[in-house]
Amino acid sequence: MDRRTLLRISSVALLPQLAVAQPRAGRIVVPFPAGGATDIVARLLADPLARELAHPIVVDNRAGAGGSLGMAEVARAAPDGLTLGIATVSTHGVNPVVYRQLPYDPLTDFTPIAELVRAPGVMVVHPGVPARTFPDFLAHLKAHPGKLSYGSPGHGSTGHMAGEIFKASTHTFIVHIPYRGAAAMLTDLIGGRIQVASDQLASALPHIRAGRLRPLAVSWHTRLAQLPDVPTFAELKLPANNEPSWFGLVAPAGLPPEKVRTLHAAARRSLAVSEVKARIEQLGLFAADSSPEEFGRRIRGEIERMQRVARLAKLVLDAP
């Protein structure tokens, strides 16, 4: 037998061993397009999480239908710990209460793993609005009912719900203009085609610093270091508007308890990596620290909160 034949036989004999040696890749399903805050957080966590779990992890963007397509993908996956998803206020709070039909149940189709980050919100106006403070804006709004418009990333989005909560809390009327995403909304807000929006601090802050938008109030438990002169909604006696957004890690329902514990611990350690912590802070986000049970209670609480808002706004949408 010549040397070439021997090498060929040896290589073929090694193939089953190599196949066994290669760990199966896991994935984090992001139910929104690449480039947004949810996507950035998932990509920040992918590498340290892969090291913790000793297998590769890819970020899988499955955008569409307000996050419903991606979450349905997670719900259908095997509960083996390899498929994870990024749950948000939109996917697990808003969508379940505003859509007549949804391809998943937020409570029974998922296993909560860990709340990852909380995202402060900020109400911003175009600089052309003749109000430099929230009280001034409220007085202007009441003096001109129906003359101003607020933008949101779409029907049923967290920005839409924030606007409805604001209207109900302040007994004002402001016209809702839905967009296909936050980027288009911000473009029109900066251009003055709409006057006000509620957005995450992470995406609004660069425009605030550049003077393209004026902040009036933030949704957080204290004033933010990035905007120390801007009051919280709680300070303004509007506690219903003071709830921030959040992102969390979920798996399909039926995940064994030992895998839940492993994934939760790995997520916590990944969030503690210095580079991850620094980048999260740069984005205007705050790392969360909760048990799987606490995260499950947050999801249930968010659904109840959004049910109240949807009833108030009489908001019911067709299937996403």
Side-chain angles (χ1 to χ4, degrees):
M1 185 181 296
D2 61 26
R3 183 170 178 271
R4 183 176 298 174
T5 302
L6 182 61
L7 285 171
R8 189 183 302 118
I9 293 171
S10 300
S11 299
V12 171
L14 281 171
L15 284 176
Q17 298 176 38
L18 290 171
V20 171
Q22 291 294 325
R24 291 174 62 194
R27 61 174 176 156
I28 300 176
V29 175
V30 176
F32 300 104
T38 48
D39 177 70
I40 292 170
V41 169
R43 292 179 188 279
L44 280 173
L45 287 176
D47 283 346
L49 202 57
R51 289 192 294 270
E52 289 286 341
L53 299 173
H55 62 69
I57 292 179
V58 297
V59 174
D60 185 7
N61 293 89
R62 296 295 181 101
S68 298
L69 294 183
M71 283 296 103
E73 179 82 10
V74 176
R76 288 192 297 264
D80 55 10
L82 291 175
T83 296
L84 305 171
I86 301 291
T88 70
V89 172
S90 291
T91 65
H92 280 63
V94 178
N95 289 358
V97 303
V98 300
Y99 288 111
R100 290 188 178 92
Q101 293 181 323
L102 202 63
Y104 61 86
D105 186 299
L107 298 177
T108 61
D109 287 345
F110 301 94
T111 302
I113 301 298
E115 188 179 355
L116 298 174
V117 298
R118 294 181 188 167
V122 57
M123 174 176 274
V124 286
V125 295
H126 183 269
V129 174
R132 303 202 66 83
T133 67
F134 183 86
D136 289 345
F137 173 69
L138 197 55
H140 178 73
L141 191 58
K142 289 186 174 183
H144 302 85
K147 300 298 184 183
L148 278 72
S149 56
Y150 80 93
S152 82
H155 283 296
S157 65
T158 52
H160 183 190
M161 303 304 268
E164 294 303 321
I165 294 170
F166 170 78
K167 287 162 61 176
S169 300
T170 57
H171 307 288
T172 54
F173 176 59
I174 184 169
V175 179
H176 174 226
I177 308 294
Y179 287 84
R180 285 186 169 277
M185 176 195 75
L186 284 171
T187 297
D188 268 13
L189 180 59
I190 291 166
R193 286 174 284 277
I194 56 175
Q195 292 75 45
V196 60
S198 293
D199 196 19
Q200 289 182 6
L201 176 70
S203 50
L205 191 58
H207 303 297
I208 293 171
R209 286 174 169 163
R212 293 187 288 266
L213 296 176
R214 181 182 299 146
L216 297 180
V218 297
S219 302
W220 196 241
H221 59 277
T222 62
R223 292 198 181 195
L224 295 166
Q226 298 93 331
L227 299 172
D229 298 326
V230 180
T232 68
F233 277 106
E235 287 180 69
L236 298 166
K237 311 302 182 187
L238 295 170
N241 290 84
N242 212 54
E243 291 293 322
S245 296
W246 47 260
F247 312 151
L249 204 62
V250 295
L255 191 68
E258 64 274 12
K259 287 189 179 292
V260 175
R261 289 192 292 270
T262 297
L263 287 167
H264 178 265
R268 297 265 64 77
R269 289 193 291 268
S270 297
L271 284 170
V273 173
S274 58
E275 295 86 354
V276 174
K277 286 177 62 178
R279 182 63 178 135
I280 284 174
E281 290 172 4
Q282 287 173 1
L283 289 168
L285 304 172
F286 292 82
D289 185 15
S290 64
S291 68
E293 294 76 19
E294 289 169 334
F295 183 34
R297 287 194 290 273
R298 175 169 288 277
I299 292 172
R300 287 191 291 274
E302 197 67 61
I303 293 171
E304 292 169 3
R305 186 169 80 96
M306 290 303 171
Q307 282 173 335
R308 293 192 293 270
V309 178
R311 281 196 298 268
L312 197 65
K314 297 181 175 58
L315 186 61
V316 180
L317 303 175
D318 291 326

